[in-house]
Amino acid sequence: MTRPNILFIMADDHAAKSISCYGGGLNHTPNLDRIANRGMRFDHCYVTNSICTPSRATILTGTHNHTNSVHTLDSKINKLLPNVAKQLRSHGEYQTAMIGKWHLGEGKAHEPTGFDYWEVIPGQGRYFDPEFINPDGLHVERGYATDIITDKTIDFISRRDKEKPFFVMCHHKAPHRSWECHPKHRHLYQDDVKVPDTYTDDYKNRAKAAAAAKMRVEMDITYNDLGLAQPEGGAEEVGNLMFEGSWSFNERKIPMPEDVSKMRLIDRQTGEVFTFKTREELSHFKYQRYMKRYLRTIQSIDDNVGRLLDYLEKEGLAENTLVMYTSDQGFFLGEHGWFDKRFIYEESFQMPFLVSGPGVKPGSVCSDIVSNVDFAPTWLDFAGVRIPSYMQGESFLSSLSGTARQSADAVAYHRYWMHAEKIHNAYAHYGIRDKQYKLIFWYNEGLGLPGASDGGEEQEWELFDCHKDPMELFNLWSDEGYAAERERMVRLLEDKMADIGDEPAHPVGLKAERLREMYLPGAGIAAKAQQHNM
């Protein structure tokens, strides 16, 4: 029997709401919808760490970040680690390729391994005329990154040994910040995008981490993000530096002054000048400019997914190829006033996930909880290759066939380690989500990890009822009406951490009511530690 092929397509920072089959109403993505129409849409796929580098390490290895040691954006993968490509190549005779965004470190110690062919962009890469690295070194390719990455993917498949199956990881740069679209899409999305209901969130009734984050469209987006000419001058004239920890980094945030009447923002491409009478006008301009640039950048992703699907059909490969489309995490599209990711809050935590191929029922929707740590074991299971014992994820092949029946205790686990890094100031936390509830512990410590701040901010818990409060506006941790759910979720969290071998930062084994008393606002870390040691 011929083993099936696997084509894994991953975007960067692609929110599920900006794929039309998810019903967000923001844009039209007919080619991504083709995957869903021919196969399955997952509504509960989650990331283990909502940031690029750790997510990619988890997908490649099938392990959590405390195991693969890729905790933060400043971490690099050890190329000697086992990974899914090595397993497929060694034990399944697959031809393997890694093409596009790698973001797991450059240099011999961190380069892709387990791949017959690899060609990757360094770091975040460029949208136009990007650099690529392969075993022969660094070179520049002329054109637009999304098109080039697709060209290279098709070229590898066309040159393959047709006697063997293939496993290809096609990783796009888009739609990562600074959202630079293909020139042919600059005319799209002229009408205003609907502003999210939570855009003006005041962050009440939540942990302090929400208000502390520097990810607000109003205050933290830069001239470069919005394709605007950055004026010369200092903070008092043109805005604060995005990152003050580097002498060579001079990108500035667009200010939000009380008096906006003197502001003149200039389109870098056309020279159009924008002026404002009120702060509300400026805020609206920033949001619309952000969203339209973001959605236009996605359009090339959709175009090129269509090219890949057309190629598979033309070559007679579609029937025996598992096609998966996802993003390395979710993304905030103005919800809670934010752009970016990092948090376990739903818009950042949920990954879009579409799958078609042999045995997948067309037009189906799956509500099973799956995670990116489960991708690697699922590929191996699908290919009929042994799943090695080191992998911490679980195969969801039965979900793809429509036969899965998950336990009520099934949860997705998330841990963000890069505490209060200098640009976004997102606090370190971990937590779980089941079908209805989400539990979060903000432990707020850097643990000496690269790129993380020391920490020491007050630790807090959050509990959300995702059915009654899908926008996650009301923390129920101290609500006595949810005492039973609080206790159950704490036990599930501790069980999950024990299962995967992650070390908790909260005292384990205490009743949730005792934890609630210990972590009342203002109790202080020292007091909590003393209580724990009594």
Side-chain angles (χ1 to χ4, degrees):
M1 178 180 174
T2 304
R3 291 187 190 271
N5 306 305
I6 301 170
L7 173 59
F8 177 68
I9 310 168
M10 183 164 67
D12 191 312
D13 294 347
H14 194 174
K17 289 180 182 178
S18 55
I19 299 176
S20 46
C21 67
Y22 276 95
L26 294 173
N27 59 341
H28 184 45
T29 53
N31 293 301
L32 291 170
D33 292 358
R34 281 168 68 184
I35 303 175
N37 293 336
R38 296 176 180 184
M40 181 174 286
R41 185 191 81 208
F42 281 75
D43 286 350
H44 289 282
C45 180
Y46 297 106
V47 65
T48 55
N49 185 348
S50 187
I51 196 168
C52 300
T53 303
S55 173
R56 291 164 190 274
T58 289
I59 290 168
L60 188 63
T61 65
T63 61
H64 290 269
N65 299 132
H66 65 278
T67 299
N68 58 49
S69 296
V70 181
H71 298 91
T72 74
L73 277 178
D74 291 355
S75 303
K76 298 178 181 180
I77 199 165
N78 182 339
K79 74 173 185 181
L80 299 180
L81 282 176
N83 68 45
V84 65
K86 294 176 181 179
Q87 190 76 357
L88 284 167
R89 189 168 70 168
S90 299
H91 302 286
E93 297 185 343
Y94 272 74
Q95 300 163 89
T96 58
M98 163 67 71
I99 301 162
K101 185 173 179 181
W102 173 242
H103 212 234
L104 288 166
E106 282 84 49
K108 287 295 183 182
H110 316 294
E111 66 186 14
T113 51
F115 298 99
D116 297 298
Y117 170 79
W118 60 268
E119 194 157 10
V120 298
I121 58 176
Q124 294 291 356
R126 295 192 298 251
Y127 275 104
F128 293 96
D129 300 338
E131 295 176 318
F132 281 85
I133 301 173
N134 62 24
D136 295 326
L138 184 72
H139 64 282
V140 173
E141 299 267 355
R142 302 299 180 192
Y144 187 67
T146 310
D147 294 339
I148 297 168
I149 291 166
T150 303
D151 291 342
K152 291 181 181 296
T153 300
I154 291 173
D155 183 61
F156 172 79
I157 297 173
S158 70
R159 293 185 293 102
R160 75 194 188 282
D161 178 351
K162 293 180 173 57
E163 298 302 313
K164 292 182 178 181
F166 61 79
F167 170 71
V168 178
M169 305 186 86
C170 171
H171 289 187
H172 289 293
K173 169 186 171 54
H176 192 279
R177 184 182 194 175
S178 55
W179 316 300
E180 299 172 38
C181 73
H182 193 289
K184 68 183 177 182
H185 293 138
R186 287 174 183 156
H187 69 286
L188 297 178
Y189 303 106
Q190 295 299 319
D191 295 336
D192 276 1
V193 178
K194 184 182 183 299
V195 179
D197 293 339
T198 58
Y199 183 68
T200 56
D201 194 345
D202 59 10
Y203 311 115
K204 292 180 180 177
N205 308 309
R206 253 80 50 78
K208 294 180 180 64
K214 296 178 181 178
M215 304 188 302
R216 294 180 63 190
V217 177
E218 273 196 351
M219 306 301 295
D220 299 307
I221 213 155
T222 71
Y223 292 92
N224 189 52
D225 289 334
L226 299 191
L228 300 170
Q230 180 173 301
E232 293 181 352
E236 71 283 357
E237 293 180 279
V238 300
N240 293 322
L241 286 167
M242 174 184 168
F243 177 50
E244 298 185 357
S246 170
W247 63 269
S248 62
F249 197 91
N250 196 37
E251 191 168 335
R252 291 187 179 270
K253 300 177 181 181
I254 305 169
M256 180 61 76
E258 289 299 322
D259 180 8
V260 300
S261 63
K262 295 183 177 66
M263 287 191 69
R264 294 173 72 254
L265 299 179
I266 302 173
D267 188 296
R268 197 167 55 201
Q269 188 75 31
T270 68
E272 182 178 0
V273 177
F274 305 98
T275 58
F276 313 94
K277 295 179 181 178
T278 66
R279 296 178 91 241
E280 289 72 23
E281 283 184 9
L282 177 56
S283 177
H284 185 75
F285 170 84
K286 289 182 179 183
Y287 177 71
Q288 295 299 329
R289 185 92 176 179
Y290 158 49
M291 283 302 301
K292 291 172 186 179
R293 286 174 65 83
Y294 180 84
L295 296 175
R296 290 166 186 157
T297 305
I298 285 169
Q299 214 61 44
S300 282
I301 292 284
D302 189 71
D303 292 347
N304 281 283
V305 166
R307 289 178 60 207
L308 286 167
L309 296 178
D310 291 346
Y311 177 81
L312 294 177
E313 290 174 6
K314 176 186 171 185
E315 297 297 316
L317 296 168
E319 294 301 316
N320 196 40
T321 300
L322 184 74
V323 177
M324 288 185 170
Y325 181 86
T326 191
S327 171
D328 52 356
Q329 66 268 315
F331 209 68
F332 291 109
L333 303 182
E335 298 90 359
H336 309 288
W338 294 325
F339 65 97
D340 210 72
K341 58 263 186 176
R342 287 169 169 79
F343 283 152
I344 193 175
Y345 297 133
E346 200 71 5
E347 295 85 1
S348 166
F349 187 33
Q350 183 196 7
M351 307 169 74
F353 192 44
L354 309 172
V355 186
S356 66
V360 185
K361 182 180 177 181
S364 53
V365 177
C366 184
S367 61
D368 294 337
I369 290 176
V370 301
S371 172
N372 62 337
V373 75
D374 302 324
F375 291 178
T378 302
W379 293 328
L380 294 171
D381 198 9
F382 184 79
V385 176
R386 181 181 301 178
I387 301 171
S389 60
Y390 78 85
M391 287 190 176
Q392 295 173 301
E394 297 180 5
S395 170
F396 51 84
L397 191 60
S398 59
S399 295
L400 288 174
S401 68
T403 60
R405 294 292 183 271
Q406 277 195 330
S407 161
D409 290 340
V411 297
Y413 178 75
H414 179 276
R415 183 163 186 170
Y416 176 76
W417 301 77
M418 200 171 183
H419 179 67
E421 52 83 32
K422 294 182 183 299
I423 295 177
H424 303 89
N425 201 43
Y427 289 2
H429 60 283
Y430 54 71
I432 55 169
R433 191 205 198 281
D434 69 4
K435 286 292 183 65
Q436 182 169 353
Y437 295 97
K438 182 180 292 180
L439 179 70
I440 311 168
F441 181 57
W442 299 92
Y443 65 93
N444 302 341
E445 294 290 342
L447 306 178
L449 292 170
S453 297
D454 291 340
E457 293 83 358
E458 184 176 22
Q459 296 177 337
E460 298 181 81
W461 290 87
E462 287 185 309
L463 176 68
F464 294 101
D465 185 332
C466 299
H467 286 181
K468 294 181 179 179
D469 179 25
M471 293 185 286
E472 298 171 316
L473 297 176
F474 301 99
N475 179 14
L476 302 171
W477 173 255
S478 294
D479 189 325
E480 286 309 306
Y482 285 83
E485 294 304 333
R486 183 170 61 227
E487 182 67 37
R488 184 180 71 87
M489 291 296 285
V490 167
R491 296 287 79 79
L492 287 177
L493 171 65
E494 293 179 353
D495 287 347
K496 184 65 176 181
M497 296 186 85
D499 284 344
I500 63 176
D502 198 3
E503 184 178 10
H506 71 276
V508 174
L510 299 181
K511 288 287 188 181
E513 178 59 24
R514 178 67 176 131
L515 290 174
R516 188 190 71 82
E517 293 172 356
M518 289 175 63
Y519 291 90
L520 288 173
I525 292 175
K528 290 164 192 169
Q530 185 177 8
Q531 286 178 316
H532 179 45
N533 293 327
M534 288 176 62

Short mmCIF file of all heavy atoms in Angstrom, two decimals, residues 11 49 71 103 106-107 122 143 151 183 203 258 265 290 302 334 342 353 383 406 425 503 519 533:
data_model
loop_
_atom_site.label_atom_id
_atom_site.label_comp_id
_atom_site.label_asym_id
_atom_site.label_seq_id
_atom_site.Cartn_x
_atom_site.Cartn_y
_atom_site.Cartn_z
N ALA A 11 0.90 29.53 8.30
CA ALA A 11 1.09 30.97 8.24
C ALA A 11 1.63 31.45 9.58
O ALA A 11 1.79 30.67 10.52
CB ALA A 11 -0.22 31.67 7.89
N ASN A 49 2.00 27.60 23.49
CA ASN A 49 2.75 28.81 23.89
C ASN A 49 2.58 29.80 22.74
O ASN A 49 3.13 29.60 21.67
CB ASN A 49 4.22 28.47 24.12
CG ASN A 49 5.04 29.64 24.65
OD1 ASN A 49 4.59 30.78 24.65
ND2 ASN A 49 6.25 29.35 25.09
N HIS A 71 11.90 28.07 25.02
CA HIS A 71 10.89 28.72 25.86
C HIS A 71 10.43 30.07 25.32
O HIS A 71 9.27 30.45 25.52
CB HIS A 71 11.45 28.95 27.27
CG HIS A 71 11.82 27.71 28.01
ND1 HIS A 71 13.09 27.16 27.94
CD2 HIS A 71 11.10 26.92 28.84
CE1 HIS A 71 13.13 26.09 28.71
NE2 HIS A 71 11.95 25.91 29.27
N HIS A 103 12.75 30.26 12.00
CA HIS A 103 12.67 31.04 13.24
C HIS A 103 13.04 30.24 14.48
O HIS A 103 12.54 30.47 15.59
CB HIS A 103 11.26 31.63 13.41
CG HIS A 103 11.28 32.95 14.12
ND1 HIS A 103 10.52 33.21 15.24
CD2 HIS A 103 11.98 34.08 13.88
CE1 HIS A 103 10.75 34.45 15.65
NE2 HIS A 103 11.63 35.00 14.84
N GLU A 106 19.71 30.46 13.60
CA GLU A 106 20.56 30.24 12.45
C GLU A 106 21.92 29.69 12.91
O GLU A 106 22.26 29.76 14.07
CB GLU A 106 20.77 31.55 11.68
CG GLU A 106 19.59 31.94 10.81
CD GLU A 106 18.53 32.69 11.56
OE1 GLU A 106 18.86 33.65 12.28
OE2 GLU A 106 17.35 32.31 11.47
N GLY A 107 22.67 29.16 11.96
CA GLY A 107 23.98 28.60 12.28
C GLY A 107 23.92 27.09 12.35
O GLY A 107 22.85 26.48 12.49
N PRO A 122 16.00 33.79 7.09
CA PRO A 122 16.60 34.08 8.40
C PRO A 122 15.69 34.98 9.23
O PRO A 122 15.11 35.95 8.71
CB PRO A 122 17.89 34.81 8.02
CG PRO A 122 17.62 35.41 6.68
CD PRO A 122 16.68 34.48 5.98
N GLY A 143 11.33 39.02 -5.64
CA GLY A 143 9.90 38.78 -5.67
C GLY A 143 9.26 38.94 -4.31
O GLY A 143 9.84 39.55 -3.39
N ASP A 151 6.43 28.71 -4.67
CA ASP A 151 7.20 28.22 -5.82
C ASP A 151 8.16 27.11 -5.40
O ASP A 151 8.28 26.07 -6.07
CB ASP A 151 8.00 29.35 -6.47
CG ASP A 151 7.13 30.38 -7.17
OD1 ASP A 151 5.96 30.07 -7.47
OD2 ASP A 151 7.64 31.50 -7.41
N PRO A 183 1.65 43.96 -4.13
CA PRO A 183 1.13 45.17 -4.78
C PRO A 183 -0.23 44.99 -5.45
O PRO A 183 -1.05 45.92 -5.47
CB PRO A 183 2.21 45.49 -5.82
CG PRO A 183 3.47 44.95 -5.23
CD PRO A 183 3.06 43.71 -4.49
N TYR A 203 -10.29 46.86 30.96
CA TYR A 203 -9.52 45.83 31.67
C TYR A 203 -9.92 45.68 33.14
O TYR A 203 -9.14 45.16 33.95
CB TYR A 203 -8.01 46.10 31.54
CG TYR A 203 -7.58 46.35 30.12
CD1 TYR A 203 -7.08 47.59 29.73
CD2 TYR A 203 -7.72 45.37 29.15
CE1 TYR A 203 -6.72 47.84 28.42
CE2 TYR A 203 -7.36 45.61 27.83
CZ TYR A 203 -6.86 46.84 27.47
OH TYR A 203 -6.51 47.09 26.16
N GLU A 258 -3.30 64.43 23.45
CA GLU A 258 -4.60 65.02 23.77
C GLU A 258 -5.07 65.91 22.62
O GLU A 258 -6.25 65.91 22.26
CB GLU A 258 -4.49 65.83 25.07
CG GLU A 258 -4.33 64.98 26.32
CD GLU A 258 -5.52 64.05 26.54
OE1 GLU A 258 -6.66 64.47 26.27
OE2 GLU A 258 -5.29 62.89 26.96
N LEU A 265 -0.03 62.54 9.35
CA LEU A 265 0.50 61.22 9.03
C LEU A 265 0.52 61.05 7.52
O LEU A 265 -0.45 61.41 6.84
CB LEU A 265 -0.33 60.13 9.70
CG LEU A 265 -0.37 60.18 11.23
CD1 LEU A 265 -1.25 59.06 11.78
CD2 LEU A 265 1.03 60.10 11.83
N TYR A 290 -4.56 49.28 10.33
CA TYR A 290 -4.01 47.99 10.77
C TYR A 290 -4.76 46.84 10.11
O TYR A 290 -4.16 45.96 9.47
CB TYR A 290 -4.08 47.89 12.30
CG TYR A 290 -4.06 46.49 12.86
CD1 TYR A 290 -3.12 45.55 12.44
CD2 TYR A 290 -4.99 46.10 13.82
CE1 TYR A 290 -3.11 44.26 12.97
CE2 TYR A 290 -4.97 44.83 14.36
CZ TYR A 290 -4.04 43.91 13.92
OH TYR A 290 -4.02 42.64 14.43
N ASP A 302 -4.02 33.14 0.69
CA ASP A 302 -5.14 32.40 0.10
C ASP A 302 -4.85 32.07 -1.37
O ASP A 302 -5.10 30.95 -1.82
CB ASP A 302 -6.42 33.22 0.22
CG ASP A 302 -7.64 32.42 -0.18
OD1 ASP A 302 -8.01 31.49 0.57
OD2 ASP A 302 -8.21 32.69 -1.26
N GLY A 334 -7.84 43.52 17.29
CA GLY A 334 -8.49 44.64 17.95
C GLY A 334 -9.32 44.25 19.15
O GLY A 334 -9.79 45.12 19.88
N ARG A 342 0.58 36.16 22.41
CA ARG A 342 1.24 35.91 23.68
C ARG A 342 0.34 35.40 24.80
O ARG A 342 0.78 34.65 25.65
CB ARG A 342 2.01 37.16 24.17
CG ARG A 342 3.25 37.41 23.36
CD ARG A 342 3.90 38.74 23.62
NE ARG A 342 5.22 38.81 23.01
CZ ARG A 342 5.46 39.03 21.72
NH1 ARG A 342 4.43 39.22 20.89
NH2 ARG A 342 6.67 39.04 21.25
N PHE A 353 -7.38 25.81 12.08
CA PHE A 353 -6.88 24.49 11.71
C PHE A 353 -7.87 23.84 10.76
O PHE A 353 -9.01 23.56 11.12
CB PHE A 353 -6.68 23.63 12.97
CG PHE A 353 -5.91 22.36 12.73
CD1 PHE A 353 -4.76 22.37 11.95
CD2 PHE A 353 -6.30 21.17 13.29
CE1 PHE A 353 -4.03 21.21 11.73
CE2 PHE A 353 -5.58 20.00 13.10
CZ PHE A 353 -4.44 20.02 12.31
N ALA A 383 0.69 8.28 8.85
CA ALA A 383 1.65 7.65 7.94
C ALA A 383 1.93 6.19 8.27
O ALA A 383 2.63 5.51 7.51
CB ALA A 383 2.96 8.43 7.95
N GLN A 406 -14.27 12.53 23.09
CA GLN A 406 -13.35 12.99 24.12
C GLN A 406 -13.95 12.92 25.51
O GLN A 406 -15.15 13.13 25.72
CB GLN A 406 -12.92 14.42 23.83
CG GLN A 406 -11.79 14.52 22.83
CD GLN A 406 -11.15 15.90 22.83
OE1 GLN A 406 -11.80 16.89 23.12
NE2 GLN A 406 -9.88 15.96 22.50
N ASN A 425 5.55 43.54 27.03
CA ASN A 425 5.27 43.51 28.47
C ASN A 425 4.15 42.53 28.82
O ASN A 425 3.32 42.80 29.71
CB ASN A 425 4.92 44.91 28.99
CG ASN A 425 5.11 45.03 30.49
OD1 ASN A 425 6.10 44.55 31.04
ND2 ASN A 425 4.16 45.67 31.18
N GLU A 503 6.90 22.00 35.83
CA GLU A 503 6.96 22.35 37.25
C GLU A 503 6.04 23.53 37.57
O GLU A 503 6.21 24.61 37.02
CB GLU A 503 8.39 22.70 37.64
CG GLU A 503 8.56 22.99 39.12
CD GLU A 503 10.00 23.29 39.49
OE1 GLU A 503 10.83 23.47 38.58
OE2 GLU A 503 10.28 23.35 40.71
N TYR A 519 -4.35 34.06 47.43
CA TYR A 519 -4.10 34.97 46.30
C TYR A 519 -5.14 36.06 46.19
O TYR A 519 -5.43 36.54 45.10
CB TYR A 519 -4.01 34.16 45.00
CG TYR A 519 -2.78 33.31 44.93
CD1 TYR A 519 -2.78 32.01 45.41
CD2 TYR A 519 -1.60 33.81 44.41
CE1 TYR A 519 -1.65 31.22 45.37
CE2 TYR A 519 -0.45 33.02 44.36
CZ TYR A 519 -0.48 31.74 44.84
OH TYR A 519 0.65 30.95 44.80
N ASN A 533 4.47 27.97 53.45
CA ASN A 533 5.48 27.25 54.23
C ASN A 533 5.04 26.96 55.66
O ASN A 533 5.74 26.30 56.41
CB ASN A 533 6.79 28.04 54.26
CG ASN A 533 7.43 28.12 52.89
OD1 ASN A 533 7.31 27.17 52.11
ND2 ASN A 533 8.08 29.24 52.58
#
